[in-house]
Amino acid sequence: MFAYILKRILYAIPILIGVNLITFMLFFMVNTPDDMARAQLGAKQVTPQMIEAWKADKGYDKALFLNKEAKGLEKVTDTLFVQESMKLFSFDFGYSDANRNIGAEIKERMGPSLAIALPTFMIALITNISLALLLVLFRGSALDTSMMIVAVMIMSVSGLFYIIAGQVLFSKMWHWVPISGYEPGWGGIKFIILPILIGVFAGIGSGVRWYRSIFLEQINQDYVRTARAKGLSELKVLFVHVLRNGMLPILTGVVVVIPTLFMGSLIMESFFGIPGLGSYTIDAINSQDFAIVKAMVFLGSVLYIIGLILTDISYTLFDPRVKL
Amino acid sequence: MKMIILKVFLFMMILEPLPADVWNNPHDSEKIATQTLFSAFSMPPKRLDPVVSYNANEWAIIGQIYEPPLQYNYLKRPYALEALTLKEMPALTYYDLEGRLVDENDAHIAFSEYRLRLREDVKYQDHPAFVKDANGTLFYGKLSEEALENIQTLDDFEKQATRHLTASDYAYAIKRMAVRQNHSPILDNMAEYIVGLKAFSQNITKIAEEKKRTKEVLDLRAYNIAGVKVLSDHTLSIRIKGKYPQFIYWLSMYFFSPIPWEADLFYQQKGMKGKNLTWNWSPVGTGAYYLVKNDPSREMVLKANPNFHDERYPSLNEEERNSSNIPRELLSDAGKKLPFIKEVIYTLEKESIPLWNKFLQGYYDASGISSEAFDQAVQISASGTMDLSSEMSQKGIVLKGSVQPSIFYMAFNMEDPVVGGYSESAKKLRQAISIAQNQEEYISIFMNERGIAAQGPIAPGIFGHLDGEKGTDKVVYEWKSGKRVRKSIEVAKRLLAEAGYPEGISMKTGKQLKLHYDATATGPDDRALMDWRRKQFAKLGIQLVIRSTDYNRFQDKVRKAKVQIFSWGWNADYPDPENFLFLLYGGNAVVNTNGAGINSSNYQNPEFDKLFDEIKIMSNSPQRQEKIQKMLTLVREDAPWVWGFHPKSLALTHLWFKNVFPNAMANNTLKYKRIDAKLRVEKQKEWNQPVLLPLVLFVLLLVLSGYFLHKLYLNRQKAVIKQER
């Protein structure tokens, strides 16, 4: 397994270089360093001297991919792309255009993102699997049909609607929880209840339908009949045997998501005033802060690759036939 | 089962009217009962360094912390400057090239000198940078990396101290401005005026570069600017080239805030930047407040500065009160010591809906009015007057409005071969388009009446702006029965025909006139606006082609004068007509300044430029007014802009928020405001009682569902057993 993980990590390097290359190309196609300087300086009259000074200060005065003035290997190495990429690979995210330490900011913002994402993920997982098993239990009944219709309805509505409706109902009309905000520690529970509930509810439709289809594939297997023949209750059959055998496809979709939970939710964090990484990325894009954008894209890619490796490893844990 | 349901229902009916504690309070409930202001910000401020900061959201914070030498009187209108950290307004003297003292009207003025005499009782907020040991050396002046290991915020330093403000702190600030690596947005502008600043900047920038390379700190005390002299601990003189009366306004801006050298050296120490301990994030000022928490991703907290000097709420005499149109209740705190509010908590609110709802719940003391909430907050009568909706009035909410010293206009590129130029036909084409653009309709449809149609570049409240018939653009409007009436479209069509485009058809080519409008309108929301814009041109038979692009490309096109017609805006830095008229000064045209100029329409009229050079150095007087009117007549005739509108800012405040008076020029207004905390607590409780009925119904639904599912499960179990058999 160790050799496999090492191989995957080595594969990840060209992938990350590629992601970085695309990020650089896309960003600088839309924003030239001069545009960035103008946006960051914020002055009404930006003079060429101001732009040049800003670029020199931030290192954007270097050539992007090919330094024609340099000699030998430096033509490639003395460029913005190589120098910035090298820093990223050593997880040195540097400073934002507003001179904030990006690494420290990411650490600080991971907590709030996880405070929403982790409970939402866990509760949604348990709820969706439980509901899906329940529907499998009552498969073919009126309850099953009506719940499937409700699931499709939930899926069809935009997540933004649930956020606004939730805020209006639970906070504005019924005054149960604050409409938005965040506080670290236990005192912050009142702020995260609503976004978690909305996150869980918005995902119920797709989640339940997906898990239901997985479990329905299992329900007519021989081992289920054997379990029933042994006299096990229908609940035990579903929640122990069917669930365990349905785990492999569930893991494919679930484990890969776990590392990316750190990245937070863009819309949810924005509407609920959660100072997480989702809103950090959006703010950086809006303010053309390339230092943050490249750091977040890089981090997202790394986490996704970690997720894929974890998924492969988890297969071996749930299915002894799988060897890495 | 029926009995259970009945019992639960009865329980609910009893429970419902019971007063409960407030559950949805997003703030610390203890602070609500104190002099704490709860406010919000939508964009995290990027820079709190006074030498760099140039955005309204940044000034809203640093305005409370830093004190430039002058400030705007909170209540007086028209806007008037007054001493803030000075004993009196700066003394101004003029010199000729030989250094002889001359009169202010002398033709040989070569230099103006501002002498600033500082108050002696002004102290900085407490800060570790000021702590000294027994020998008088800085206690935290040479921190090792180990010592910094356990330091995360300024509060982690055991010792803090203060010191008095001195004249050299203002000189130090100007020196910091000169360092190019600090990116001060006004350096190039000030270098044109302050004697020796340009040369100093070039020199100090090189030194700063070298110091950065060798990782040494840059102590600016060792270097001096020829035109900035510290005459004593509390006297500073600033010498500027020629005569530039607007310089006094710059002295009220935060670029001229004092910088204590101790703090500058403190923040330059190795390891500080990595902990976000920099000028950008940890201001050190003498103002009424100091920043105790700076988490721009969530919350920023200001507290009243215990070292704040003696400043009193302003008072006005009866004549001033009447001329400024000040309500009497605004003067009830006159003469009382400032500040009233002890703590200010700014919370990040990116979306307008949560912000608005929190304001309605009483959790924010004031709010702007977003377009989504406009109809709920404001009703407009048939005559166009704005008033609060009954819902807002019942809550005791107060509406405050003021016209901003800003202008949003549609400009013609005067370099363009079709719409530009100064020929009669080009002028008439622009005049016809100006008449056809129905700004009143625009303000009504797209601005919810939050603006007034402009008659020229100068905004209301600024010297040079006239109301009534005298202030009317006679090219676009007529004065009828004491009212301003836009000229009819027939007049516009006649002008268009005279310009060589009868019914919008070019007499030269026989084809319909096609004009191009550059905009950043790329979203679906902009469609209505662009359709309206096309319609205005279609009234004249002109086809308007919209060229939408992103903001960066749009700016680039304007800078390179590759546009034909476009919309642009301007917010005044200071309340002087020069700050508007320079937008049309030929010397500032982008084509003459390699894209750096402020005159985006490239308007160049020698007569206008000559008058501008004259009014620029004049004090406000009837003569200045006369010259400005001549300039306005010229630009109205030449019509390089369709004048557009001056926006009206509307704000809502709760009844408990006192002394609120819109002041578009001042940013340090928090110190004047006051909270009636008792009333706030009462109202918040009254407005936010939790509604329990839905909660009980939900629990009931869960219990019932569980019961029925259990029954269903038992039936299912039996059915499966039968099926398996």
Side-chain angles (χ1 to χ4, degrees):
Chain A
M1 191 194 287
F2 177 74
Y4 175 80
I5 293 170
L6 192 71
K7 199 167 74 181
R8 289 294 301 265
I9 289 171
L10 289 175
Y11 281 164
I13 294 170
I15 293 171
L16 289 172
I17 292 173
V19 167
N20 232 5
L21 188 71
I22 292 168
T23 312
F24 267 72
M25 274 165 46
L26 287 178
F27 195 91
F28 285 107
M29 241 160 45
V30 182
N31 301 289
T32 63
D34 282 30
D35 293 334
M36 289 161 69
R38 279 197 184 85
Q40 296 303 328
L41 289 166
K44 290 175 176 175
Q45 264 179 295
V46 182
T47 60
Q49 295 96 305
M50 288 164 74
I51 292 173
E52 290 312 314
W54 187 86
K55 287 189 329 196
D57 195 27
K58 303 287 173 190
Y60 291 122
D61 54 345
K62 284 190 191 309
L64 199 55
F65 296 112
L66 187 69
N67 188 350
K68 287 176 186 168
E69 285 161 22
K71 285 176 186 168
L73 197 60
E74 281 192 352
K75 273 183 191 290
V76 180
T77 55
D78 191 21
T79 58
L80 192 62
F81 175 71
V82 171
Q83 302 221 337
E84 293 295 315
S85 298
M86 291 303 281
K87 279 188 203 163
L88 285 178
F89 277 96
S90 60
F91 288 92
D92 172 9
F93 297 126
Y95 291 88
S96 69
D97 290 335
N99 269 335
R100 297 275 288 192
N101 185 333
I102 297 174
E105 290 263 293
I106 289 173
K107 262 188 220 165
E108 212 170 278
R109 284 169 176 263
M110 256 182 196
S113 276
L114 281 179
I116 302 287
L118 207 60
T120 307
F121 172 75
M122 295 304 293
I123 296 170
L125 190 68
I126 294 165
T127 312
N128 293 349
I129 289 176
S130 306
L131 279 174
L133 285 168
L134 206 69
L135 293 185
V136 171
L137 177 66
F138 298 115
R139 64 196 172 279
S141 69
L143 179 73
D144 182 27
T145 315
S146 52
M147 284 297 283
M148 277 301 97
I149 294 169
V150 171
V152 172
M153 282 166 69
I154 292 173
M155 279 168 68
S156 313
V157 178
S158 153
L160 198 62
F161 171 82
Y162 296 121
I163 292 174
I164 295 171
Q167 287 182 328
V168 168
L169 273 182
F170 295 102
S171 181
K172 192 182 173 192
M173 288 171 65
W174 298 339
H175 306 144
W176 291 358
V177 286
I179 200 157
S180 67
Y182 182 77
E183 205 179 291
W186 293 108
I189 287 178
K190 63 179 176 182
F191 293 108
I192 61 171
I193 289 174
L194 190 56
I196 289 172
L197 281 180
I198 291 171
V200 170
F201 185 77
I204 276 183
S206 53
V208 167
R209 275 172 58 85
W210 183 49
Y211 295 131
R212 179 179 171 274
S213 65
I214 290 169
F215 297 136
L216 278 178
E217 278 176 23
Q218 300 290 327
I219 201 74
N220 292 321
Q221 300 285 324
D222 288 344
Y223 74 87
V224 176
R225 195 173 297 119
T226 311
R228 281 181 187 141
K230 280 165 69 182
L232 293 180
S233 72
E234 197 64 3
L235 273 182
K236 218 167 191 173
V237 170
L238 284 170
F239 280 86
V240 177
H241 295 276
V242 173
L243 179 60
R244 188 184 294 161
N245 284 283
M247 260 316 182
L248 212 58
I250 291 174
L251 282 175
T252 315
V254 168
V255 180
V256 75
V257 179
I258 294 172
T260 56
L261 294 177
F262 288 94
M263 301 299 286
S265 156
L266 305 181
I267 300 175
M268 198 71 95
E269 287 181 7
S270 201
F271 266 82
F272 285 98
I274 310 289
L277 287 173
S279 51
Y280 190 48
T281 315
I282 284 284
D283 287 346
I285 294 168
N286 287 338
S287 61
Q288 303 180 9
D289 197 327
F290 181 62
I292 300 175
V293 172
K294 73 174 184 319
M296 292 308 292
V297 172
F298 182 81
L299 193 65
S301 311
V302 170
L303 289 171
Y304 193 72
I305 290 167
I306 292 173
L308 290 173
I309 297 173
L310 285 179
T311 309
D312 289 352
I313 295 169
S314 65
Y315 282 166
T316 60
L317 300 176
F318 281 87
D319 190 345
R321 291 169 301 177
V322 179
K323 291 267 186 283
L324 294 178
Chain B
M1 188 65 198
K2 279 179 186 170
M3 281 306 288
I4 294 171
I5 295 171
L6 189 67
K7 278 178 186 171
V8 171
F9 187 72
L10 284 173
F11 171 71
M12 279 165 8
M13 299 305 286
I14 297 163
L15 196 67
E16 175 63 11
L18 285 179
D21 281 337
V22 172
W23 293 355
N24 62 348
N25 177 11
H27 307 305
D28 181 345
S29 46
E30 281 176 17
K31 287 189 174 164
I32 289 168
T34 63
Q35 279 290 324
T36 302
L37 175 77
F38 295 97
S39 189
F41 60 102
S42 60
M43 275 295 283
K46 276 187 176 179
R47 296 161 281 241
L48 299 180
D49 184 342
V51 146
V52 188
S53 178
Y54 204 4
N55 284 331
N57 66 334
E58 293 161 356
W59 281 5
I61 304 285
I62 66 169
Q64 323 311 323
I65 300 166
Y66 286 106
E67 290 189 307
L70 305 174
Q71 67 176 348
Y72 288 93
N73 185 291
Y74 184 47
L75 301 175
K76 276 185 191 169
R77 298 294 181 278
Y79 297 110
L81 285 173
E82 63 182 17
L84 176 57
T85 59
L86 304 186
K87 283 180 176 166
E88 69 266 313
M89 289 298 281
L92 179 57
T93 45
Y94 300 97
Y95 299 89
D96 64 11
L97 267 177
E98 274 73 47
R100 285 184 299 244
L101 204 64
V102 290
D103 182 73
E104 74 166 306
N105 297 318
D106 196 291
H108 301 97
I109 292 175
F111 304 106
S112 312
E113 192 171 284
Y114 291 81
R115 188 161 291 202
L116 284 68
R117 288 181 62 227
L118 271 65
R119 291 170 59 150
E120 282 149 22
D121 61 342
V122 181
K123 275 178 163 181
Y124 284 98
Q125 65 182 75
D126 288 336
H127 193 277
F130 297 123
V131 181
K132 288 183 178 172
D133 61 17
N135 303 323
T137 50
L138 296 176
F139 190 76
Y140 295 117
K142 283 183 181 161
L143 289 166
S144 62
E145 279 183 47
E146 292 77 45
L148 267 174
E149 232 167 54
N150 297 323
I151 302 287
Q152 299 305 328
T153 67
L154 290 177
D155 290 337
D156 296 331
F157 288 94
E158 266 178 47
K159 296 177 182 181
Q160 305 231 340
T162 181
R163 75 156 166 87
H164 280 97
L165 171 77
T166 64
S168 55
D169 299 336
Y170 283 110
Y172 200 95
I174 302 171
K175 291 179 210 171
R176 270 196 86 229
M177 184 196 293
V179 180
R180 186 64 78 178
Q181 289 87 339
N182 286 337
H183 310 299
S184 177
I186 65 160
L187 170 60
D188 291 310
N189 190 16
M190 284 300 115
E192 295 296 314
Y193 294 108
I194 297 177
V195 174
L197 185 60
K198 195 180 258 180
F200 179 83
S201 174
Q202 285 164 355
N203 187 34
I204 202 72
T205 299
K206 282 182 197 150
I207 294 169
E209 218 170 276
E210 183 60 21
K211 294 268 183 193
K212 192 182 173 186
R213 204 178 54 78
T214 55
K215 294 185 177 159
E216 284 176 83
V217 293
L218 174 62
D219 185 351
L220 292 168
R221 286 177 301 164
Y223 311 94
N224 289 306
I225 304 170
V228 181
K229 287 196 172 124
V230 178
L231 304 175
S232 74
D233 268 2
H234 293 97
T235 314
L236 177 80
S237 83
I238 303 173
R239 185 172 275 218
I240 62 165
K241 293 171 200 164
K243 196 177 174 189
Y244 179 45
Q246 290 76 22
F247 184 72
I248 195 113
Y249 294 114
W250 288 102
L251 292 177
S252 71
M253 292 167 82
Y254 298 99
F255 306 111
F256 285 89
S257 303
I259 297 288
W261 64 270
E262 298 93 330
D264 193 37
L265 299 190
F266 177 83
Y267 287 139
Q268 285 186 51
Q269 291 180 86
K270 199 180 169 196
M272 288 286 183
K273 193 179 172 190
K275 294 181 181 292
N276 291 331
L277 294 173
T278 62
W279 280 114
N280 263 340
W281 299 103
S282 307
V284 190
T286 58
Y289 296 91
Y290 69 104
L291 192 66
V292 287
K293 185 179 179 187
N294 184 6
D295 178 1
S297 65
R298 188 168 75 88
E299 193 177 75
M300 300 181 79
V301 181
L302 294 175
K303 271 193 177 165
N305 178 6
N307 304 335
F308 186 54
H309 53 88
D310 187 44
E311 191 181 350
R312 305 279 160 164
Y313 191 91
S315 56
L316 299 178
N317 60 38
E318 200 61 23
E319 192 189 329
E320 285 172 330
R321 195 184 74 77
N322 290 334
S323 69
S324 303
N325 199 18
I326 305 287
R328 203 168 285 277
E329 69 264 19
L330 270 175
L331 293 167
S332 59
D333 284 323
K336 288 183 186 167
K337 194 175 182 327
L338 300 176
F340 300 115
I341 291 171
K342 300 300 174 206
E343 190 171 357
V344 190
I345 299 176
Y346 296 98
T347 311
L348 180 64
E349 291 285 358
K350 284 189 188 161
E351 302 296 332
S352 59
I353 296 171
L355 170 67
W356 174 244
N357 285 321
K358 278 188 193 170
F359 169 70
L360 291 182
Q361 290 170 337
Y363 294 129
Y364 285 128
D365 300 309
S367 167
I369 308 176
S370 67
S371 49
E372 293 96 340
F374 189 83
D375 291 337
Q376 191 187 353
V378 175
Q379 56 190 25
I380 299 166
S381 69
S383 62
T385 52
M386 266 183 218
D387 215 345
L388 276 175
S389 65
S390 56
E391 185 191 345
M392 299 297 118
S393 303
Q394 278 166 14
K395 281 185 167 245
I397 288 169
V398 183
L399 176 69
K400 309 265 180 188
S402 66
V403 179
Q404 295 297 293
S406 311
I407 182 163
F408 290 87
Y409 55 90
M410 191 175 88
F412 299 101
N413 177 10
M414 296 298 278
E415 296 288 306
D416 184 81
V418 180
V419 298
Y422 302 87
S423 66
E424 269 310 299
S425 64
K427 267 188 212 176
K428 284 182 176 170
L429 170 63
R430 292 193 297 268
Q431 288 174 356
I433 294 171
S434 297
I435 294 169
Q437 304 294 309
N438 191 338
Q439 287 305 324
E440 290 76 13
E441 188 181 271
Y442 177 92
I443 293 164
S444 173
I445 296 173
F446 298 105
M447 303 279 301
N448 295 112
E449 301 289 352
R450 284 180 287 183
I452 59 166
Q455 303 296 311
I458 303 172
I462 309 289
F463 184 83
H465 176 93
L466 293 178
D467 290 321
E469 189 177 2
K470 279 186 180 171
T472 300
D473 174 7
K474 293 285 173 58
V475 173
V476 177
Y477 291 88
E478 289 169 297
W479 191 261
K480 277 186 182 169
S481 324
K483 270 186 175 178
R484 203 173 272 161
V485 181
R486 181 172 287 275
K487 283 183 181 172
S488 71
I489 198 71
E490 299 313 318
V491 177
K493 282 182 174 173
R494 200 182 65 230
L495 284 166
L496 192 68
E498 288 169 13
Y501 304 98
E503 298 297 324
I505 306 295
S506 168
M507 283 163 72
K508 282 183 195 162
T509 62
K511 288 181 182 170
Q512 189 186 19
L513 178 61
K514 192 196 272 185
L515 297 178
H516 295 89
Y517 178 78
D518 282 274
T520 53
T522 48
D525 294 347
D526 300 312
R527 201 173 159 181
L529 175 60
M530 292 303 114
D531 285 345
W532 180 86
R533 193 63 82 190
R534 276 192 207 97
K535 202 178 121 195
Q536 304 309 302
F537 283 81
K539 285 192 278 191
L540 297 173
I542 300 172
Q543 186 192 350
L544 186 72
V545 179
I546 311 279
R547 295 194 292 209
S548 289
T549 182
D550 64 86
Y551 188 60
N552 290 337
R553 296 288 82 73
F554 172 73
Q555 274 190 313
D556 196 45
K557 284 166 101 175
V558 173
R559 276 195 304 274
K560 291 175 179 160
K562 286 183 178 169
V563 284
Q564 193 169 47
I565 306 172
F566 60 100
S567 290
W568 210 242
W570 178 256
N571 291 319
D573 288 311
Y574 43 82
D576 191 88
E578 179 262 357
N579 201 231
F580 286 95
L581 294 169
F582 79 158
L583 299 170
L584 292 160
Y585 180 63
N588 292 333
V590 291
V591 287
N592 295 336
T593 53
N594 198 20
I598 206 85
N599 175 0
S600 307
S601 67
N602 296 302
Y603 176 64
Q604 298 180 72
N605 181 331
E607 204 182 337
F608 180 91
D609 291 351
K610 184 175 163 283
L611 286 164
F612 178 80
D613 287 333
E614 288 170 21
I615 67 107
K616 189 182 162 188
I617 54 168
M618 288 173 82
S619 309
N620 289 344
S621 62
Q623 291 76 25
R624 196 180 194 214
Q625 180 71 270
E626 196 185 320
K627 286 182 193 288
I628 289 170
Q629 291 313 307
K630 274 186 193 166
M631 293 171 80
L632 292 180
T633 307
L634 283 174
V635 286
R636 281 166 183 160
E637 282 292 324
D638 287 341
W641 297 358
V642 175
W643 301 116
F645 64 93
H646 306 292
K648 253 189 212 172
S649 146
L650 293 182
L652 300 173
T653 57
H654 283 295
L655 203 54
W656 57 77
F657 195 20
K658 308 286 185 188
N659 296 343
V660 180
F661 187 56
N663 186 322
M665 298 316 303
N667 292 286
N668 61 344
T669 57
L670 259 181
K671 60 188 173 188
Y672 304 108
K673 290 165 184 167
R674 192 163 51 81
I675 299 282
D676 180 348
K678 198 171 160 239
L679 181 64
R680 177 166 67 184
V681 172
E682 278 170 25
K683 289 292 175 189
Q684 282 186 5
K685 272 201 169 172
E686 184 188 324
W687 295 340
N688 293 288
Q689 287 301 305
V691 182
L692 296 176
L693 181 66
L695 187 64
V696 178
L697 282 175
F698 180 70
V699 172
L700 196 66
L701 186 74
L702 270 186
V703 172
L704 284 174
S705 306
Y707 174 76
F708 286 119
L709 277 176
H710 181 67
K711 281 197 83 171
L712 213 61
Y713 167 68
L714 292 178
N715 291 340
R716 191 78 183 178
Q717 181 81 341
K718 282 177 195 164
V720 171
I721 293 166
K722 266 186 197 170
Q723 191 189 326
E724 291 294 321
R725 274 178 185 165

